[in-house]
Amino acid sequence: MTKIIQKVNAVKMEPPRKRKVAAYARISIEKGRTPHSLSAQISYYSKFIQGNADWEYAGVYADKAVSGLTTDRPEFQRMLSDARDGKIDIILTKSISRFARNTVDLLETVRELKDLGIEVRFQKEKIHTLSEDGELMLSLLASFAQEESRSISENVKWGIRKNFQKGIGNSFHIYGYRWTGKEFVIVEEEAKIVRLIYDNYLKGISAEKTEKQLEEMGVKSYTGGHFGNNSIRQILKQERYTGNTLFQKTYIEDGKTKYNNGELPQYYARNTHPVIISEETFNKVQEIRQKKRELGAFANPHIKTSALTSKIKCTHCNRSFQRAGKKNKTGHTRCWMCATRKAGQGNPCGTGDINEEQLKKIISEVLDIDEFDDEVFLEKVDHIDVTGKDHLEFFMTDGSLIHRTYASTARKDAWTPEYKERYKRIKRSKDTNGLKNPATPYTGFIRCARCGNSFSGQRRTLKDGTTEYYLRCRTKISECPSNTIQESTLNALVCDVLDLDEYSEEAMDKAMDYCEIADNTVSFHFRDGHFEERQYEEKKRGTPWSKERRKKALKGMKEYWSDPEHRKEASDRMKKIRKEKKWSSQ
């Protein structure tokens, strides 16, 4: 009996792909949370993920001291970005409240991840978002978490306000003091710096100069970093250095800190801690600060001011227009622009630049004077409101209001006859001096033998996709019917005249002064005074018409002109052209 042996090819089994697992951790800004809690979460998740043989560790994303009411968290956003890039399959998190406290944000984020095939596992609630009942349970529990967060927030705020009424604060970090757990004590080394800052200000020394002085002294800020001028200005308005405390200067709304401008009550408590700056010194500094705010730019002797300084107001952002220098074709000019725009914050107000010379002309017209006068302007104009890109409102000192429209003529004014001539000379030479269109090898080299104008380079793309460069006279073809020449043809003629193997711009410029072109003739004028002529012919580009194409075109023209309306339309058009150009009918 014959044995039959069948050969079977073994199939190589691929091991299952490990799922990329990451974790998200967060500690909030609530009282009692510590950085140790965050590091403990990171350590736990790192070990937990790496201890699973079926998982690939994709990292732990952790936000420190941020609210869960918003998704605008650096690490949270980085995690979502990596998830979109396919770097994560599963996200682990302790609970719903750690992931997000806002129900809408939570569901939107989970649904986006679900569409990407990414599962979020909430360990405390035992919810897996890719399961059938995952989203329903998540919606219910997220609502409870959001309400719990709101309730806790209201309770915390109530407790803080009660403490404010008793003279107990909730901020324990201030340069010059240290909190012992029961009271503030003075740190004398820092207190000396606070007194130096106040003393400098009373002597007229700016915050910027004090900043440099502290840097030279090696003084660091409360956090150990650079002592900036903004920190110095904050110290100058900090009432706590007088031993008194103004509570609830700021408040938190929608997770953002805002200044309290009367939205909530404030509480002023006296003698809450030791004194570093006397109330008399503090009040003097506040008086000077207030005067400087009222004076604006005039308070700083280093700022160049004019009669227009602080007089032009933007009605959209309530800031003044500031003077700025602009470079145009004729040199530098002065203009005025909204402070918001000048600060590089875009142009949300929609106002434009106002040329200073043109503004002075408008002011002279409003005041009915021959030319702008500082004293007359300051005497008769209280301020000018800019309400749009082209509208000015003059508020006069006598109480009257005058409206004026503004249209910039700065660009037009810059094109003086002198500049036009200079621009032409630059365009005709290879020294384009940074103009938009760079020079070509033949810039300023070719002249028209008919009209004397220069040639300009142009480019056209042929049907086969290749690009062809050619040169033609700048004068209108109706006024000077000069022929064109391809750049490659002229290159070949230069090589022939100079006996070169290949074209060289340097050799051409060294030997020749210019060339003239007309009637398919190029006349090369050398620097030594002699000239040489060369004839050239170029094939006309285009596809020749076949007999069928000519026949079809002729048929179409006959059909078109057999229509009486078309003939009448053409006749009327020619009559109009003759009339406009004053052609004679005879």
Side-chain angles (χ1 to χ4, degrees):
M1 187 175 181
T2 305
K3 291 183 179 181
I4 300 174
I5 301 174
Q6 185 175 357
K7 185 178 180 181
V8 179
N9 294 325
V11 179
K12 187 177 180 181
M13 300 295 291
E14 293 289 338
R17 183 181 71 85
K18 289 186 177 183
R19 303 185 76 181
K20 293 170 279 192
V21 181
Y24 178 73
R26 178 181 66 83
I27 61 169
S28 67
I29 56 178
E30 294 170 6
K31 186 178 178 181
R33 300 286 182 180
T34 64
H36 175 74
S37 172
L38 185 65
S39 61
Q41 291 183 56
I42 295 172
S43 177
Y44 164 76
Y45 280 119
S46 297
K47 291 179 181 178
F48 182 69
I49 296 171
Q50 293 175 16
N52 192 321
D54 296 330
W55 287 353
E56 178 183 335
Y57 180 68
V60 177
Y61 302 84
D63 281 307
K64 175 182 176 183
V66 292
S67 172
L69 292 173
T70 174
T71 59
D72 189 17
R73 295 169 253 154
E75 284 293 283
F76 190 80
Q77 290 299 324
R78 188 170 71 88
M79 177 185 70
L80 294 181
S81 177
D82 288 346
R84 296 180 187 112
D85 293 340
K87 298 178 181 179
I88 302 173
D89 295 319
I90 300 174
I91 297 173
L92 306 179
T93 189
K94 183 179 177 181
S95 65
I96 292 173
S97 61
R98 293 298 92 201
F99 199 74
R101 287 187 181 273
N102 183 298
T103 304
V104 176
D105 290 340
L106 173 68
L107 294 177
E108 284 182 353
T109 303
V110 167
R111 284 168 183 165
E112 181 189 356
L113 294 171
K114 188 176 180 180
D115 291 339
L116 296 171
I118 300 168
E119 183 179 51
V120 183
R121 297 183 181 180
F122 301 96
Q123 294 178 303
K124 180 180 176 181
E125 294 83 3
K126 296 181 180 179
I127 295 175
H128 296 185
T129 56
L130 292 186
S131 64
E132 292 182 2
D133 59 347
E135 183 165 334
L136 175 61
M137 290 296 295
L138 192 62
S139 299
L140 294 172
L141 292 172
S143 298
F144 287 125
Q146 182 175 340
E147 181 58 29
E148 180 190 10
S149 173
R150 189 197 63 78
S151 178
I152 291 172
S153 176
E154 289 300 321
N155 290 337
V156 170
K157 289 177 181 177
W158 181 86
I160 290 173
R161 286 169 188 161
K162 282 295 180 183
N163 284 338
F164 285 164
Q165 293 172 15
K166 297 175 184 178
I168 302 172
N170 66 333
S171 177
F172 306 99
H173 303 286
I174 179 170
Y175 187 82
Y177 295 100
R178 288 297 181 275
W179 178 252
T180 65
K182 295 181 179 180
E183 61 181 358
F184 280 111
V185 296
I186 294 176
V187 179
E188 193 54 41
E189 289 184 3
E190 295 181 359
K192 288 179 181 178
I193 301 303
V194 173
R195 296 186 190 105
L196 172 66
I197 290 171
Y198 274 80
D199 189 47
N200 278 0
Y201 191 79
L202 291 173
K203 290 178 180 177
I205 299 173
S206 67
E208 285 73 20
K209 287 187 177 180
T210 301
E211 176 186 9
K212 291 180 181 178
Q213 182 181 352
L214 296 181
E215 187 175 7
E216 292 171 358
M217 293 168 62
V219 177
K220 300 297 181 181
S221 67
Y222 186 91
T223 56
H226 174 70
F227 215 126
N229 57 74
N230 286 330
S231 298
I232 292 169
R233 290 188 175 91
Q234 290 297 322
I235 286 174
L236 288 169
K237 64 180 182 179
Q238 179 56 266
E239 84 291 335
R240 286 195 178 190
Y241 293 116
T242 63
N244 307 316
T245 305
L246 177 63
F247 294 115
Q248 201 152 269
K249 289 184 284 188
T250 61
Y251 65 97
I252 296 175
E253 185 176 88
D254 299 329
K256 296 180 180 180
T257 301
K258 298 183 178 181
Y259 285 102
N260 184 4
N261 295 314
E263 293 85 358
L264 296 173
Q266 292 183 324
Y267 309 91
Y268 192 82
R270 301 187 68 85
N271 304 318
T272 55
H273 52 275
V275 177
I276 293 179
I277 299 295
S278 68
E279 286 193 49
E280 183 184 0
T281 301
F282 180 80
N283 291 334
K284 282 183 180 178
V285 167
Q286 304 319 304
E287 287 175 12
I288 296 172
R289 291 180 64 246
Q290 179 61 31
K291 286 180 181 178
K292 286 190 173 184
R293 276 197 295 269
E294 292 172 357
L295 289 171
F298 296 103
N300 191 339
H302 301 289
I303 297 177
K304 293 182 179 180
T305 59
S306 73
L308 297 171
T309 302
S310 300
K311 285 286 189 178
I312 311 170
K313 307 291 183 180
C314 175
T315 58
H316 302 279
C317 65
N318 296 320
R319 299 181 71 181
S320 295
F321 269 54
Q322 296 178 354
R323 200 181 194 194
K326 292 191 75 174
K327 188 177 181 181
N328 63 13
K329 298 176 178 65
T330 56
H332 286 82
T333 60
R334 294 287 183 181
C335 69
W336 292 80
M337 64 173 64
C338 177
T340 301
R341 184 181 175 199
K342 191 179 179 184
Q345 299 171 13
N347 190 18
C349 305
T351 55
D353 302 342
I354 306 177
N355 181 268
E356 185 173 289
E357 292 303 317
Q358 192 173 352
L359 177 60
K360 287 182 177 180
K361 288 179 182 178
I362 295 173
I363 294 171
S364 300
E365 291 174 5
V366 169
L367 299 178
D368 194 21
I369 54 179
D370 295 333
E371 60 181 22
F372 180 79
D373 184 274
D374 289 358
E375 293 183 4
V376 176
F377 171 74
L378 294 172
E379 179 186 349
K380 294 188 176 182
V381 179
D382 182 71
H383 69 278
I384 303 170
D385 276 357
V386 182
T387 59
K389 204 164 187 177
D390 59 354
H391 192 78
L392 305 176
E393 292 182 348
F394 288 79
F395 288 80
M396 313 303 286
T397 53
D398 61 5
S400 61
L401 175 63
I402 301 174
H403 296 267
R404 283 290 184 274
T405 55
Y406 166 81
S408 177
T409 61
R411 187 182 295 273
K412 182 180 178 182
D413 294 342
W415 283 93
T416 60
E418 295 79 13
Y419 182 77
K420 287 181 180 179
E421 285 301 318
R422 175 173 167 266
Y423 187 79
K424 287 179 182 179
R425 290 195 301 271
I426 292 173
K427 288 288 289 183
R428 290 171 181 170
S429 69
K430 291 188 179 183
D431 181 18
T432 56
N433 219 1
L435 291 175
K436 186 177 179 180
N437 297 319
T440 68
Y442 292 110
T443 298
F445 182 75
I446 310 171
R447 301 176 188 174
C448 177
R450 293 178 180 271
C451 66
N453 204 350
S454 61
F455 270 48
S456 63
Q458 297 183 12
R459 178 178 64 181
R460 59 187 171 193
T461 303
L462 304 179
K463 287 187 177 181
D464 59 4
T466 59
T467 302
E468 179 182 72
Y469 295 90
Y470 63 99
L471 305 128
R472 65 176 300 276
C473 179
R474 292 179 182 273
T475 306
K476 292 180 181 180
I477 196 167
S478 59
E479 299 175 9
C480 178
S482 179
N483 54 282
T484 63
I485 184 170
Q486 292 182 41
E487 189 176 275
S488 57
T489 302
L490 189 55
N491 289 347
L493 294 177
V494 170
C495 291
D496 179 53
V497 171
L498 297 179
D499 195 22
L500 301 174
D501 294 330
E502 61 180 15
Y503 173 77
S504 169
E505 180 184 357
E506 184 180 357
M508 180 186 73
D509 290 341
K510 186 177 180 181
M512 301 179 186
D513 188 20
Y514 65 93
C515 74
E516 290 184 329
I517 299 177
D519 301 324
N520 292 91
T521 302
V522 181
S523 176
F524 295 97
H525 293 255
F526 287 76
R527 296 188 182 277
D528 60 8
H530 82 282
F531 69 92
E532 295 184 26
E533 290 185 348
R534 292 291 187 277
Q535 304 289 327
Y536 71 93
E537 286 187 10
E538 294 177 336
K539 289 184 179 180
K540 291 185 178 180
R541 297 287 181 179
T543 305
W545 281 26
S546 62
K547 291 182 179 180
E548 292 78 11
R549 185 178 178 186
R550 289 180 183 277
K551 187 176 179 182
K552 185 178 179 181
L554 184 61
K555 182 180 177 183
M557 290 178 68
K558 286 181 178 179
E559 290 177 355
Y560 181 86
W561 290 110
S562 63
D563 188 340
E565 290 186 5
H566 287 160
R567 290 200 304 272
K568 185 177 184 305
E569 183 182 340
S571 176
D572 293 341
R573 187 165 58 247
M574 288 305 299
K575 287 177 182 177
K576 183 180 178 182
I577 292 172
R578 290 191 185 98
K579 184 178 180 181
E580 289 177 353
K581 293 192 175 183
K582 297 181 180 179
W583 287 356
S584 174
S585 58
Q586 297 179 351

